[in-house]
Amino acid sequence: MSSQQDWVLCRYCHTIVYAKRLARNHGVCPQCGRCGPLTAHERLAMLADRDTLQLLEPDVPSDDPLCFTDGEPYPRRLAQARQATGMSEAVVCARLSIGGTPVVAAAMDFRFMGGSLSAAVGELITLTAETALLECVPLVLVTASGGVRMQEGVVGLMQMAKTAQAMQQLDEAGLVTICLITDPTYGGVAASFAMLGDIVIAEPGARFGFAGPRVIAQTIRQELPQGFQTAEFLLERGFVDLVCPRAVMRERIGRLLSVGVGRGATGKAGPAERVVIRDPDQLAEQDAWQAVRRARHLGRPTTSDYLRMILDDFDELHGDRVGGDCPAIIGGVGRLGGESIVVIGHEKGHNPTDLVAHNYGMPAPAGYRKAARLMRLAAKWGLPVLTLVDTPGAYPGVDAELQGQATVIADNLRLMSALPVPLVTVITGEGCSGGALAIAASDRVLIMENAIYTVISPEGCAAILWKDSAAAPDAARALRVDARSLLELGVVDGVVPEPPGGAHADHAEAAALVRAAIRAELSDLTSLDPGRLIANRRARFRRFGGRPAHPTDSAVALADLGGPR
C-alpha cells in the first residue's frame, strides 16, 4: 500500500503526482511541464555523465563580519540552514564530465538562506573558477539565488566583483564558461557571474533579474509586463542564448562544450572539392538587372536553409546581451566537416509571413551587436567564422537610428579587422550597402553566381541619380552588381557556381556547392597564424582605391604627404 510520501502536489498546477515519477522526470511536472526546484546535488547529478561526479569540498569557513542580528544572531541562522539542508553553504562544487567533456562546476541551492551570495559562497565560486583555470577545463555554473546575503553587508557585496574577476581570468585564458540560470536568480548573483558565461542558458519559466517584481512594484509603483523577467521574456529581449528543457539539458550543454573545446572533430571529411571560380572569363556574362531579380527570388535558400544543409550540427544562440535579439540575423555554433565553427547570417524567409517576421532581412542594431558577440566568442574559443550575406540593407527606421545603427556597423568593421581567427563570407543573395559589409569584412569573400553586391539598391541609386526609380535596370548595369563584374573588380575572391536554373531550383545541390567552397577556403586559411591572418585581411581591404599594400607603404605614403618620418 502506498503512503502519503509516495505522492506530491505540483506547486504550479496543484496536480497530485507520483513522487518517483516526478524524480525520474528531474522535478518536471508531467501534467503542466513546469520545472520544480532541485537541490544543488540533484542539479549536478542531472548534468553529470554516469560515474563521473566527484564532489570538491574545500575548507571555506563562514564568517560573521558585521556581528549581525535581526532578531536572531547570524551564526544561529547559519546553523539552522546547515541543519535543514545538510549543506555547509549555499553552493556545491564538483568535477564531472558532461557529454564526455571534463569540467568543473558549482551549483547553488536556494534552500540555504535563499542561495544568497556570502563571502564563503563567493570564495567557493572563485575557487571553482581557479580550479578550472589551473586544470584548463571549462567551467559550468548553476545559479539559484535571491542576491547578496544582507547579513554580511558590503563584504557580501564585494563578492560580485571578486567572482566577476575570476570569470575574466577564464576569458583571458580562452576557457569555455557556461552559466545555467534556474529559478530564481536575482540581485548580486544576476549582476555578476550569472551573466558572464560565454553561453547563458535558462530553464523554462526561470525568473531572473536585478530587482525582483515585488521590489519594483513596491519601490516605484510601476506596472510590470506580462511574464516579466521569465526565461522566455529574457530570451525575446536578447539576454540569454537559449531556453532549454531539463530533459535535454545534459545533451545540449555537452554539445556546446564539445564545440567550444574542439572535441569530436573527426578529420574524416576528406579534402574539399575545389568548386570556386576565380577567373571571370569562366563565367557567362549576364544582364545586371536579371542578376538583381534572381538574387531576390524568394525561392533561394535562406541562411537557415544553408545551415541546416551544410553543417553537421548547429545550436542557435540568441541575443546581444544588451536588450535585443534581432530576427534579421541568426547565428550560433556548430560543425562543418567535423570541425567546430561559428556561423552568422542574414535571414529573410520564403513567404510574406517569414519576411515580416525577419524584417525582410534588414538588421536592427541588436542584430549587429549579436553578430559582434558571436565573433568575440569565436575569437575566445579559437574558432573560424562563416558569415552568409543576404540583405537589402540595414534597417533604416527611426528606432534603428536612435539605437546607433551607424555606430554598431562601424564597430563591427573595426572588430573584424582585428579578429584573430579565419573569416569567410559567402554572399548568397542580396548584398547591399553597409548592412551587408558589416558582417563581410573577411579574409575571403565569395559570391554565388546569381547573387549581387552593391553600395545601394539599384532602385535607390536610380531615385537619387536618375531622379526616377524606374531607371533601376540602368542603375544596376552602371553599378556592376553582378558576380562576374565583382570578380573582375576584385571585390570578391571567387564565385560559387549554382545548379542549372539557379539556387532556388535545387537547394540541396546549391548547399553542396556552398559547403565545398567554404571548406576549401577554411582549409587554406587555418594554416595561417593570427598575425598573418590579420595582416592579409587588412591588406585585402587596403588595396581598394590604392596601390597594393606592403608593410612600408603606409609610412612612405605618410612621408610623401608631409607627415612624420
Side-chain angles (χ1 to χ4, degrees):
M1 180 178 294
S2 64
S3 65
Q4 285 186 331
Q5 286 75 26
D6 291 335
W7 302 89
V8 293
L9 187 70
C10 174
R11 62 166 61 184
Y12 304 109
C13 68
H14 306 295
T15 297
I16 297 175
V17 183
Y18 189 44
K20 290 185 178 179
R21 183 183 181 190
L22 190 65
R24 286 195 301 269
N25 214 29
H26 300 298
V28 179
C29 174
Q31 184 67 30
C32 68
R34 295 286 297 275
C35 295
L38 293 177
T39 69
H41 290 90
E42 288 170 336
R43 291 277 179 196
L44 293 171
M46 181 189 78
L47 293 175
D49 297 339
R50 187 173 180 177
D51 298 328
T52 65
L53 183 60
Q54 176 190 354
L55 295 182
L56 301 175
E57 299 177 309
D59 184 17
V60 178
S62 297
D63 199 4
D64 183 12
L66 308 182
C67 298
F68 190 92
T69 182
D70 58 349
E72 289 230 34
Y74 176 42
R76 187 176 300 169
R77 292 201 180 276
L78 280 172
Q80 291 168 350
R82 288 174 181 141
Q83 184 176 7
T85 63
M87 301 171 60
S88 60
E89 254 298 351
V91 65
V92 177
C93 312
R95 289 188 184 90
L96 61 148
S97 290
I98 305 177
T101 301
V103 305
V104 293
M108 304 186 77
D109 197 316
F110 196 79
R111 297 175 306 153
F112 194 108
M113 299 188 72
S116 48
L117 181 59
S118 65
V121 171
E123 180 68 10
L124 288 165
I125 295 289
T126 302
L127 285 173
T128 306
E130 289 172 347
T131 301
L133 186 64
L134 182 65
E135 299 179 4
C136 292
V137 297
L139 173 71
V140 175
L141 298 176
V142 184
T143 65
S145 176
V148 172
R149 191 169 297 172
M150 289 179 286
Q151 290 90 340
E152 296 193 13
V154 293
V155 176
L157 184 70
M158 293 303 106
Q159 307 309 309
M160 295 171 62
K162 175 178 173 177
T163 54
Q165 287 179 175
M167 297 296 281
Q168 173 62 24
Q169 287 180 286
L170 295 176
D171 287 342
E172 292 167 359
L175 294 173
V176 177
T177 55
I178 293 181
C179 293
L180 170 56
I181 306 299
T182 75
D183 185 56
T185 298
Y186 279 111
V189 170
S192 58
F193 58 88
M195 280 301 290
L196 296 179
D198 300 329
I199 308 291
V200 178
I201 304 172
E203 280 196 331
R207 293 165 294 167
F208 177 91
F210 184 60
R214 185 167 56 185
V215 172
I216 295 170
Q218 291 179 353
T219 304
I220 60 175
R221 310 295 181 190
Q222 192 169 50
E223 187 175 342
L224 304 178
Q226 185 69 28
F228 182 64
Q229 292 183 326
T230 62
E232 295 74 16
F233 181 93
L234 295 166
L235 179 70
E236 183 181 336
R237 283 154 182 80
F239 292 111
V240 300
D241 286 287
L242 53 97
V243 175
C244 182
R246 273 186 196 166
V248 295
M249 187 69 75
R250 180 194 300 169
E251 176 191 351
R252 196 72 176 271
I253 292 178
R255 190 163 65 236
L256 289 165
L257 287 168
S258 68
V259 169
V261 301
R263 278 188 64 258
T266 63
K268 297 178 180 178
E273 182 185 358
R274 298 283 172 170
V275 300
V276 173
I277 298 170
R278 304 189 189 277
D279 182 357
D281 291 336
Q282 293 180 11
L283 291 166
E285 292 190 20
Q286 65 171 320
D287 179 71
W289 182 242
Q290 290 301 315
V292 172
R293 297 180 65 182
R294 293 190 187 104
R296 293 173 176 172
H297 195 292
L298 285 180
R300 291 180 72 83
T302 64
T303 290
S304 60
D305 293 328
Y306 280 118
L307 298 185
R308 186 181 67 255
M309 292 185 288
I310 71 175
L311 297 181
D312 306 319
D313 57 60
F314 173 65
D315 282 285
E316 184 176 357
L317 304 178
H318 292 268
D320 63 356
R321 300 273 181 92
V322 177
D325 183 37
C326 174
I329 283 186
I330 61 174
V333 297
R335 285 197 179 86
L336 175 67
E339 301 295 333
S340 298
I341 190 170
V342 170
V343 290
I344 303 162
H346 299 98
E347 179 71 7
K348 284 183 178 177
H350 293 295
N351 56 54
T353 301
D354 290 343
L355 289 169
V356 171
H358 293 285
N359 199 33
Y360 298 86
M362 295 186 293
Y368 293 114
R369 286 195 296 265
K370 175 165 62 174
R373 185 175 77 82
L374 291 172
M375 285 188 271
R376 292 189 182 98
L377 177 67
K380 179 184 172 183
W381 287 6
L383 304 182
V385 177
L386 165 66
T387 68
L388 301 178
V389 170
D390 185 13
T391 180
Y395 181 61
V398 173
D399 287 347
E401 291 299 313
L402 291 174
Q403 294 166 25
Q405 186 73 286
T407 301
V408 295
I409 291 173
D411 282 344
N412 273 23
L413 296 176
R414 177 169 58 184
L415 171 65
M416 295 182 83
S417 76
L419 213 65
V421 294
L423 289 162
V424 172
T425 292
V426 181
I427 302 165
T428 62
E430 289 185 277
C432 287
S433 190
L437 183 61
I439 63 168
S442 299
D443 301 304
R444 301 282 171 82
V445 180
L446 307 179
I447 189 168
M448 297 197 70
E449 188 177 359
N450 291 312
I452 63 169
Y453 200 12
T454 174
V455 66
I456 189 174
S457 71
E459 293 87 347
C461 179
I464 294 170
L465 299 182
W466 274 260
K467 313 300 183 187
D468 181 5
S469 60
D474 294 326
R477 296 175 191 114
L479 288 168
R480 300 185 67 189
V481 300
D482 61 285
R484 190 179 195 276
S485 296
L486 293 163
L487 188 57
E488 289 174 339
L489 290 168
V491 172
V492 299
D493 301 295
V495 176
V496 182
E498 297 189 20
H504 61 279
D506 190 337
H507 284 201
E509 178 60 20
L513 290 163
V514 169
R515 177 183 168 93
I518 295 165
R519 288 192 59 229
E521 300 302 318
L522 288 176
S523 178
D524 291 343
L525 294 169
T526 51
S527 63
L528 302 178
D529 64 72
R532 176 51 56 193
L533 276 172
I534 293 170
N536 289 352
R537 189 182 309 142
R538 290 175 176 173
R540 182 188 188 281
F541 289 93
R542 174 66 177 84
R543 73 171 183 261
F544 292 117
R547 298 170 299 163
H550 295 288
T552 57
D553 275 0
S554 296
V556 171
L558 188 61
D560 289 344
L561 292 170
R565 292 182 181 272

